[in-house]
Amino acid sequence: MTRRIAVTGSASGIGKALVGMLTAQGATVIGVDRDTADVRADLSTDEGRTRAVAEVAELAAGRLDGVVACAGVSLPDPIAVSVNYFGVVRLLAGLRPLLTAAPQPRAAVVGSIAGTQPVDQAVIDACLRDDEQAALERARAAVESGAGSRLYPSSKSALAQWLRRTAVTADWAGAGIPLNAVAPGVVLSPMAAPLLEDEAMKKVMDEAVPMPLNGYAEPGVIAAALDWLISTGNTHMTGQVIYVDGGADATLRGPEVF
Ligand code: NAI
């Protein structure tokens, strides 16, 4: 049976690399992106998310063997919360019924090492209460107070916490659906390219994200980890945030966190 996999962020970077990998394995891939994709939708809005779920359901003919949410933005703006948190959790909730129709369903999301950096706790609390309006209000306040740079880390921290809570519930583990995250360090995708071109910014990033093992990663490296997480070989890993980060997490957080 050909596996049917939905991948968000399919037009660029990690998502695009994963689409190539899955297609080469013979899977049927349904790409979702605000750019060119099988399903064009803006995942920062409820309208876009609802339409994406409906169109994926139609293309998947009611059954999805895997969902991978890669779409994200790394801006110091409330949109980071809309896309990286609500754009992921709402889409996964919407697509879950299609996963339950598959014999060996799998799901994965993309976090970030940024999720371990300083955050805005009020934004995270609102995310975890599933209150998008409150999260966006707090995010706007963070921007006004000059703390906009905390929004991307907050969105990824909230996503990791949501994952830890959600993966083991009846809806996911109880329904036989492993749900995990890959958290990259710096990836050589169009998202990071402009930052790396700026010498001063590159220095800040290298200090914030030290990668002693092989430096910056190609998108395909992250895609390969996602590929395994949603493979049928993954029968028992769930609720994990896997740092594929060249050693950044182990360097920054040391031996106490494991
Ligand atoms: P990218 O910018 O190459 O690709 C992101 C894709 O998401 C693009 O195709 C874009 O059109 C899509 N997207 C953005 N906003 C959207 C929206 N509102 N609706 C629908 N699609 C939307 O970036 P990359 O590096 O492939 O990022 C993939 C994931 O990896 C993101 O979640 C990002 O936060 C995460 N990540 C990236 C790192 C990096 O250094 N590039 C490091 C850590 C995490």
Side-chain angles (χ1 to χ4, degrees), residues 7-10 12-20 68 70 110-111 184 187 189-190 218-224 226:
V7 177
T8 78
S10 57
S12 178
I14 296 166
K16 189 176 177 183
L18 181 62
V19 170
V68 185
C70 296
V110 181
V187 182
S189 73
E218 292 293 337
V221 171
I222 311 304
L226 290 163

Side-chain angles (χ1 to χ4, degrees), residues 26-255:
T28 299
V29 182
I30 302 167
V32 182
D33 206 291
R34 66 177 170 198
D35 269 349
T36 312
D38 303 307
V39 173
R40 263 186 103 153
D42 179 355
L43 298 173
S44 71
T45 69
D46 259 336
E47 184 274 324
R49 296 165 198 152
T50 305
R51 200 163 42 73
V53 168
E55 290 187 24
V56 169
E58 202 177 323
L59 289 174
R63 188 199 90 226
L64 266 184
D65 301 278
V67 175
V68 185
C70 296
V73 288
S74 67
L75 301 169
D77 184 280
I79 193 131
V81 177
S82 300
V83 180
N84 303 350
Y85 184 80
F86 291 99
V88 174
V89 305
R90 295 265 164 87
L91 195 81
L92 281 178
L95 295 177
R96 204 191 64 86
L98 302 176
L99 289 168
T100 60
Q104 293 174 290
R106 305 283 182 265
V109 304
V110 181
S112 173
I113 184 70
T116 67
Q117 289 164 356
V119 293
D120 185 316
Q121 194 55 46
V123 170
I124 293 178
D125 292 344
C127 286
L128 295 175
R129 287 198 310 274
D130 199 35
D131 187 341
E132 186 167 12
Q133 204 185 326
L136 294 182
E137 274 165 25
R138 193 59 195 84
R140 281 191 284 272
V143 172
E144 276 161 27
S145 70
S149 63
R150 294 195 169 202
L151 295 178
Y152 180 68
S154 301
S155 70
K156 295 296 189 179
S157 173
L159 185 62
Q161 293 181 55
W162 171 85
L163 179 99
R164 299 284 291 171
R165 293 174 176 195
T166 308
V168 290
T169 60
D171 276 355
W172 292 89
I177 314 171
L179 171 60
N180 295 284
V182 173
V186 179
V187 182
L188 294 166
S189 73
M191 179 183 279
L195 301 173
L196 298 174
E197 276 163 18
D198 178 331
E199 266 310 312
M201 189 58 80
K202 182 175 176 302
K203 197 160 169 274
V204 169
M205 282 197 18
D206 287 345
E207 273 163 24
V209 187
M211 299 177 70
L213 177 68
N214 293 330
Y216 310 142
E218 292 293 337
V221 171
I222 311 304
L226 290 163
D227 182 36
W228 184 80
L229 288 176
I230 61 155
S231 71
T232 53
N234 176 21
T235 55
H236 282 75
M237 183 191 285
T238 199
Q240 299 301 314
V241 179
I242 313 297
Y243 290 89
V244 181
D245 64 355
D249 175 54
T251 304
L252 295 167
R253 295 202 293 176

